[in-house]
Amino acid sequence: MIRIALQAKGRLNEDSLKLMKEAGINFDDAKRKLLSKSNDFPIEVLYLRDDDIPQAVAAGVADIGFVGINEIEEKGADVKVIHKLGWGKCRISLAIPKTEEYSGIEYFNGKRIATSYPKILKKFCDENNIVAEVEEIAGSVEIAPAVGMADAIFDIVSSGSTLVSNGLKEVYTVMNSEAAVIANPNLTDEKQALLDQLLFRFESVERSKGQKYILLNIPNDNINDALSILPSMKSPTLLPLAQPGWSSIHAVVSQKLIWDKIEQLKKIGAEDILVLSLEMMVL
Ligand code: ATP
Ligand code: MG
């Protein structure tokens, strides 16, 4: 049995549950139970606030977890970052009132900076010989300069629209973050084996993202042209059709290229083109 800590509610919750489900693991959501056991896999899900996940994994209360790299850094928890998940992307940046002129990071010398990430900010200031006053606040950081609580902020940014609507401009990105799978550094062999099994499933699901499965019929004379258009995992599948002189080709194509490929295939006589979603790619 392995225990995973997931965010109970918030920005990482939905993608965390989706990935577990796509990996074939179902359990109750946080509205019903804060600790829930799956029937499909020897795993228990512990729902926590994201701030508490690094500590819970470091202490072995949970064996593994999904959490933002930003929270791991801020908490300085002793956990291993096993696998970056590619979602929950954001950056932690310094921002100042938009009317201020920005000269470079020396600007922050002698300034008061409001943040919910004091550790990351202090480390950045020390590394860059900036002497600033760090004002720690838990939320509503963006409003701090307007109400005279600080001269600048250090906060999470994704689109930047919250900054703009609070009269601020982003001037320096200190770190980029995304969600990651973390693990306690001292897992037993049994738990490590379960984690490896989970990672194999997560990677198979991730590999299929942005990929489509394409099937088409083609006159036999044009098979080579079609094969040169279509990439594949090994080589495309080629099957004879009942109708003489025709074959069917199956291949996996990146979603970004799919229309381009369809147009090229139609030009060489492809017919009955089907494009299907892929759920996982197991190599
Ligand atoms: P909790 O109640 O669990 O403590 P929270 O309010 O601290 O939740 P959320 O806003 O749900 O946190 O964000 C969780 C994580 O999602 C962040 O720590 C960060 O890693 C990631 N994230 C991605 N984009 C954003 C964004 N635009 N704003 C805030 N967090 C983001
Ligand atoms: Mg939090």
Side-chain angles (χ1 to χ4, degrees):
M1 178 73 74
I2 193 167
R3 187 183 283 166
I4 185 168
L6 301 182
Q7 191 190 25
K9 53 177 195 282
R11 291 175 198 266
L12 303 178
N13 171 268
E14 199 181 312
D15 284 326
S16 301
L17 298 186
K18 187 161 150 254
L19 177 58
M20 294 295 280
K21 200 169 185 176
E22 287 171 334
I25 302 167
N26 296 286
F27 41 82
D28 287 331
D29 65 26
K31 286 182 213 89
R32 299 193 50 193
K33 275 192 209 154
L34 290 179
L35 185 63
S36 165
K37 204 161 159 274
S38 171
N39 293 322
D40 314 302
F41 193 89
I43 194 166
E44 230 172 13
V45 177
L46 172 63
Y47 291 104
L48 295 175
R49 287 198 55 174
D50 74 333
D51 320 51
D52 296 331
I53 293 176
Q55 272 311 325
V57 172
V61 173
D63 304 302
I64 58 172
F66 291 169
V67 73
I69 307 268
N70 54 318
E71 289 297 332
I72 308 166
E73 285 270 317
E74 180 60 27
K75 297 293 178 305
D78 181 19
V79 295
K80 281 209 266 185
V81 175
I82 303 287
H83 176 76
K84 293 195 178 159
L85 288 162
W87 37 265
K89 286 197 173 171
C90 57
R91 51 195 190 273
I92 315 195
S93 294
L94 286 156
I96 62 173
K98 67 168 187 275
T99 49
E100 287 282 304
E101 203 166 309
Y102 179 66
S103 47
I105 54 173
E106 321 76 66
Y107 173 92
F108 294 100
N109 261 318
K111 296 284 196 294
R112 287 170 309 153
I113 312 172
T115 187
S116 315
Y117 293 95
K119 262 204 186 146
I120 300 174
L121 177 58
K122 281 182 188 143
K123 186 163 165 255
F124 170 79
C125 289
D126 288 349
E127 283 170 3
N128 291 281
N129 300 318
I130 291 164
V131 183
E133 212 178 299
V134 176
E135 305 278 352
E136 182 175 352
I137 50 173
S140 309
V141 176
E142 310 83 357
I143 198 68
V147 297
M149 206 194 256
D151 305 307
I153 67 162
F154 176 60
D155 201 13
I156 289 189
V157 184
S158 55
S159 70
S161 58
T162 316
L163 291 183
V164 172
S165 59
N166 285 287
L168 299 170
K169 61 181 177 191
E170 182 179 5
V171 292
Y172 194 89
T173 300
V174 173
M175 77 173 281
N176 288 298
S177 179
E178 65 186 275
V181 181
I182 58 169
N184 181 280
N186 304 306
L187 292 184
T188 61
D189 290 349
E190 181 222 1
K191 288 181 186 207
Q192 183 63 48
L194 291 171
L195 172 57
D196 291 344
Q197 237 177 303
L198 286 172
L199 288 172
F200 177 78
R201 294 191 187 191
F202 297 157
E203 283 166 8
S204 298
V205 171
E206 283 160 7
R207 213 174 279 128
S208 72
K209 299 280 178 223
Q211 305 277 358
K212 295 282 175 193
Y213 192 74
I214 184 165
L215 299 90
L216 56 104
N217 296 334
I218 188 95
N220 285 348
D221 286 348
N222 298 346
I223 287 174
N224 284 338
D225 291 343
L227 294 183
S228 66
I229 294 169
L230 293 169
S232 197
M233 289 166 77
K234 277 207 180 65
S235 104
T237 307
L238 181 62
L239 300 166
L241 288 188
Q243 184 181 345
W246 281 75
S247 293
S248 164
I249 297 180
H250 301 196
V252 175
V253 173
S254 154
Q255 184 162 10
K256 285 190 223 129
L257 302 176
I258 199 84
W259 282 108
D260 206 34
K261 298 286 178 192
I262 289 174
E263 271 144 31
Q264 293 180 47
L265 290 162
K266 278 173 71 70
K267 276 193 195 134
I268 59 158
E271 292 183 1
D272 308 322
I273 301 173
L274 299 180
V275 177
L276 310 177
S277 305
L278 266 182
E279 286 183 13
M280 56 183 105
M281 278 169 75
V282 181
L283 300 181

